[in-house]
Amino acid sequence: MASTTHNRTTPPTTPPDGASRGPLAARISLGKVFTPVPSEFVLISSAALLLTAFGLVMVLSATSATSTAAGLGPFDTLVKQAVFATIGIPLMFVLSRFPVSFWKKIAWPVLIGATFLQLLVFVPGIGIENDGNRNWISIAGQQAQPSEFLKLTLALWLGLVLFRKRSLLTKWQHVFIPVVPVGGLVIATVMAGGDLGTTMILVLILLAALFFSGVKLRLFIIPLLAAVATVAVLAIRSPNRMARIMSFLDPNCIADYLETCYQPLHGVWSLASGGIFGLGLGNSREKYAWLPAAAHDYIFAIVGEELGLIGCIVALGLFALFAVGAFHVVRKTDDAFVRIAAGAITVWIVGQALINIGVVLRVFPVLGVPLPFMSQGGTALLSVLMACGVLLSFARTLPVKTPAVAAI
């Protein structure tokens, strides 16, 4: 009888199913959302958001006048770019929640899918040719550049393949198979369209993946020679590319001013006219149809003209902030797949930014490579933001340093 009384008066230790467990489960789920993230996550995401916002402002400034002159609204180009930013930024944070195992599983399928999209540029009625390059598609009135997605998918695929063969990479056979045949085939789909700039970035991604996989430097000789030979063949076969290279080698570039020298010279003049503080946001003169591709490949020239040296330093500082966070992920991770894929993605984005700025400064010939985050182009912006989502996913795997609490 005493035992029965005790059971009636003692409260249950486990709450019954219902309302009492609901709030606890909700608090646990909410706690997972607000779990502390490594500093690398903050650096990468902050730099990506600031560069995207910076780019939207500069795209508006570079296109408002020409859009109005063409009979469109001054915000027409900005709205189109902002749509991709509105899609890409949430998608970046959604992708950051996926585990590393997910990226390993989809590496092969997404590469195949992106290659199939790239092959559509050669389908009559779908593929679009522009300035001698056949690297765009148009479906239901919407244009896209499939090769931008090849950059991310190739980095993931290289990370998976080299991760699986990491114990065999001391032998050249395992280094080059299947990396060179498959990677070469993917790059060839872009080369066939005549896009030398994107081809160079894809080769850069491949070389970066080999480097971060720990392959011996002597094994880089063949890929480097193949890359140089490819660029040389593409340049020789195209009179337009040879003319651009020759104009780059001419320090004055006056003899052919109205042709291949026109854009490089106006890009330099745009930067030079900005001085230290710039002409003021929206006050560019070169954007009034003087500088071709002002909102595309030469957006950095408009930054220098309107915001001056200070604006250029801010842009470079944001890219440096991104690079620090991304390379910290490469350095701190213990997962070979994360190191290789993150290294390839980082070299792609930072390297492409340096190449674009180098073209504006006439350090390199005109290559047609956009400035990541900032140049006009929805596909390019979306692919870079997705790549940042992958980097953020990798950053979440790093240990979080919590401040020590002093004992009382």
Side-chain angles (χ1 to χ4, degrees), residues 36-37 399-405:
V37 293
V400 179
K401 293 183 179 180
T402 55
V405 179

Side-chain angles (χ1 to χ4, degrees), residues 19-219:
S20 60
R21 289 185 61 182
L24 177 60
R27 286 197 298 271
I28 293 174
S29 300
L30 193 62
K32 291 181 180 179
V33 174
F34 293 99
T35 302
V37 293
S39 59
E40 291 78 12
F41 185 100
V42 178
L43 286 174
I44 296 170
S45 58
S46 300
L49 293 174
L50 291 173
L51 281 168
T52 302
F54 196 175
L56 290 175
V57 172
M58 297 312 303
V59 166
L60 171 62
S61 179
T63 60
S64 57
T66 52
S67 295
T68 304
L72 304 173
F75 300 100
D76 185 74
T77 305
L78 172 66
V79 170
K80 293 178 181 178
Q81 187 79 353
V83 167
F84 285 95
T86 305
I87 297 172
I89 291 174
L91 182 59
M92 175 180 71
F93 288 106
V94 169
L95 295 180
S96 73
R97 307 295 302 187
F98 286 87
V100 174
S101 59
F102 172 80
W103 303 116
K104 294 178 181 179
K105 290 178 182 178
I106 69 166
W108 269 104
V110 294
L111 180 66
I112 295 172
T115 305
F116 173 77
L117 284 177
Q118 177 61 26
L119 292 175
L120 291 179
V121 303
F122 305 107
V123 178
I126 297 179
I128 300 175
E129 184 172 340
N130 185 23
D131 293 333
N133 294 343
R134 194 174 184 86
N135 204 24
W136 289 265
I137 59 174
S138 178
I139 300 176
Q142 299 297 319
Q143 292 189 13
Q145 191 172 0
S147 59
E148 291 295 331
F149 296 115
L150 276 179
K151 298 173 183 177
L152 174 58
T153 57
L154 181 62
L156 290 172
W157 178 81
L158 288 169
L160 176 66
V161 171
L162 294 172
F163 161 73
R164 288 179 173 176
K165 304 185 73 171
R166 60 191 181 278
S167 61
L168 303 171
L169 295 181
T170 55
K171 300 179 180 179
W172 71 267
Q173 297 94 330
H174 292 284
V175 173
F176 293 112
I177 299 175
V179 169
V180 172
V182 176
L185 180 63
V186 169
I187 295 172
T189 62
V190 178
M191 288 173 52
D195 191 345
L196 179 60
T198 303
T199 298
M200 292 179 62
I201 298 301
L202 291 173
V203 171
L204 188 64
I205 291 172
L206 191 150
L207 294 176
L210 289 174
F211 175 81
F212 287 108
S213 67
V215 172
K216 295 181 180 179
L217 293 179
R218 61 182 174 83
L219 296 179

